[in-house]
Amino acid sequence: MTRFIDYYIRSEAECERLKQVDVLAERFAKRAPIHDTEGSFPFENFNDLRQAGYLKLTVPRQYGGDEITLYEMVQVQERLAYGDGSTALAVGWHLGQMLHLRTTGKWPEALYADLCRDVVAQGAMMNVFASEAGTGSPSRGGKPETTAVRTEGGWHISGRKTFSTLSPILDRFVVTAYVPEEDTVGEFLIDRSDRTIIDETWNTLGMRSTGSHDVVLNGAFASDNARITGKGTDDGGGWLLHIPACYMGIALAARDFALEYAKSYKPNSVKASIATLPTVQQSIGKMEGELRIARTVMYEAADRWDRNPSVRSSMRAQLGLAKYTVTNHALSVVDLAMRIVGGSSLSKNFPLERYYRDIRAGLHNPPMDNTVLNQLAAEALNEN
């Protein structure tokens, strides 16, 4: 791994943490082609993450976690994705959600404390399943077709959730559901049972190992105290920076592969390696520019969010810009890397074609490009 990725390390503690993540990333990179080909969930990666203490990084110290900052979460996610984008994106939803719950206080304290202790002691994970085929992305505001019906001591939840990342491994998860008797949408913590069925539908172009299958709820029970009624403090959605961090890691891996290829490939049509060719150097320079701009935007947003809690609720556009910039620049970087490598970049023996497929998924993670642009336009218009 090149020194370039170390540019945003600020302390010895961060350096040591990232060295440990490097070990995981290197290990996961060797497994990634197999899981990508099979579309299988990397259970062994998550066992390694659990043993390394990765799952408790964003848990508060009072419950035994490391309580890392948003900036530090971006660092580790970027590193992990350098080795395997699917694993990084999947575990990022857990890390991000735990950070989100910590900073917003939206869960009842007792419920949150129990979850945190289970994460630390057992390596438990969680995610929120909100997407549905009939409503699209929850960020668009559609009403869930999943319903919650009152029963003795709680609720019966029925419906189907799509894009349920981490579903093969979770023992609990939060789902959104429409509550007819209240004409409102609620969130419910569900324990995995015979009433929660994983329908293995995830067979995609990229990010093939995230386990984002459909989850079918057949009257799954949620007790009264498992309903999440609070909204908590508005944190601006800072936790979603785990998404651009992942795609930046993939782009960095593509860039490094292209550099090593360019320095080592010496066709007999040139006197030295293709790295000496002006056209290749121009492409390398473009990759560097794309990466430096995107990383600056991403890390600046994370640092501001950490340092200024009072402005978090007004940072939605800036945080969205980080995702928009990273995702689109990452697409460009991978494309440039493939142009440098040439036809060999399409080979299944090289990782570039997987990077290309994985990076496309970033366009469909929240916030969407048009949403970010609308937010930026609204801010600009309100300033004038």
Side-chain angles (χ1 to χ4, degrees):
M1 195 173 294
T2 66
R3 293 293 300 172
F4 179 74
I5 202 170
D6 293 338
Y7 186 81
Y8 288 95
I9 297 177
R10 306 170 298 182
S11 67
E12 187 60 33
E14 290 179 355
C15 184
E16 288 303 310
R17 182 184 302 116
L18 292 172
K19 285 180 180 177
Q20 296 175 30
V21 180
D22 284 342
V23 174
L24 293 169
E26 184 175 352
R27 190 181 305 162
F28 296 173
K30 295 176 182 178
R31 299 169 180 162
I34 298 173
H35 287 295
D36 176 70
T37 299
E38 297 176 348
S40 53
F41 189 79
F43 288 98
E44 68 275 36
N45 288 359
F46 283 86
N47 185 53
D48 289 343
L49 290 168
R50 184 177 294 110
Q51 292 182 359
Y54 195 92
L55 303 179
K56 65 182 182 67
L57 285 177
T58 50
V59 172
R61 291 190 187 92
Q62 71 183 97
Y63 298 119
D66 297 297
E67 201 171 322
I68 65 171
T69 65
L70 176 61
Y71 187 103
E72 291 167 332
M73 185 185 77
V74 167
Q75 288 178 322
V76 297
Q77 282 295 107
E78 184 181 62
R79 289 287 177 121
L80 200 65
Y82 188 96
D84 181 3
S86 281
T87 296
L89 185 64
V91 77
W93 288 102
H94 162 76
L95 281 192
Q97 287 285 355
M98 295 304 297
L99 175 65
H100 179 59
L101 296 179
R102 185 182 95 203
T103 57
T104 61
K106 67 181 293 186
W107 277 27
E109 184 59 30
L111 197 64
Y112 177 58
D114 285 345
L115 173 63
C116 288
R117 294 189 185 104
D118 284 349
V119 172
V120 173
Q122 304 168 19
M125 291 188 291
M126 68 87 61
N127 198 4
V128 176
F129 299 157
S131 296
E132 297 183 3
T135 60
S137 170
S139 63
R140 306 276 189 194
K143 184 174 73 175
E145 293 180 347
T146 299
T147 58
V149 177
R150 169 75 67 180
T151 189
E152 184 177 354
W155 305 83
H156 279 154
I157 316 295
S158 298
R160 177 184 284 262
K161 296 295 184 181
T162 58
F163 297 102
S164 302
T165 301
L166 292 174
S167 58
I169 203 171
L170 296 183
D171 64 359
R172 78 199 76 186
F173 43 85
V174 172
V175 300
T176 56
Y178 176 64
V179 185
E181 67 181 66
E182 300 175 6
D183 191 24
T184 189
V185 176
E187 290 187 328
F188 301 85
L189 179 62
I190 303 290
D191 289 327
R192 191 165 183 163
S193 70
D194 59 359
R195 296 284 183 172
T196 59
I197 300 169
I198 309 301
D199 186 2
E200 296 189 359
T201 54
W202 191 244
N203 184 19
T204 54
L205 175 75
M207 290 296 181
R208 289 176 49 77
S209 303
T210 59
S212 303
H213 303 298
D214 287 7
V215 173
V216 181
L217 307 162
N218 291 326
F221 179 74
S223 63
D224 281 328
N225 61 6
R227 182 178 182 182
I228 315 301
T229 56
K231 295 296 183 183
T233 304
D234 183 1
D235 66 355
W239 66 279
L240 286 168
L241 283 188
H242 82 87
I243 294 172
C246 174
Y247 293 107
M248 181 51 61
I250 298 171
L252 287 165
R255 172 258 195 193
D256 283 359
F257 181 88
L259 287 182
E260 290 303 313
Y261 186 91
K263 289 188 290 185
S264 62
Y265 181 48
K266 301 176 182 179
N268 60 18
S269 57
V270 296
K271 294 181 179 179
S273 74
I274 63 171
T276 62
L277 299 176
T279 53
V280 172
Q281 292 180 359
Q282 284 287 305
S283 293
I284 292 172
K286 289 179 180 178
M287 284 197 299
E288 294 298 283
E290 299 272 19
L291 288 168
R292 296 187 187 203
I293 291 169
R295 294 186 90 212
T296 297
V297 172
M298 178 174 67
Y299 277 103
E300 196 280 330
D303 182 58
R304 184 178 179 225
W305 190 92
D306 283 334
R307 289 186 292 103
N308 301 284
S310 62
V311 304
R312 288 174 181 171
S313 61
S314 64
M315 284 187 63
R316 210 167 296 276
Q318 183 180 1
L319 294 163
L321 177 63
K323 190 267 178 176
Y324 170 86
T325 304
V326 168
T327 301
N328 286 283
H329 283 225
L331 284 165
S332 177
V333 168
V334 175
D335 179 71
L336 287 164
M338 295 184 77
R339 290 171 185 266
I340 291 170
V341 174
S344 296
S345 67
L346 302 175
S347 172
K348 289 285 186 180
N349 294 323
F350 292 153
L352 271 182
E353 62 87 27
R354 185 177 77 251
Y355 298 155
Y356 176 80
R357 289 183 287 106
D358 282 350
I359 214 80
R360 301 295 304 179
L363 295 173
H364 309 289
N365 290 140
M368 309 303 181
D369 284 4
N370 65 331
T371 299
V372 174
L373 295 176
N374 286 341
Q375 290 172 337
L376 292 169
E379 282 199 357
L381 291 169
N382 288 336
E383 288 174 359
N384 288 279

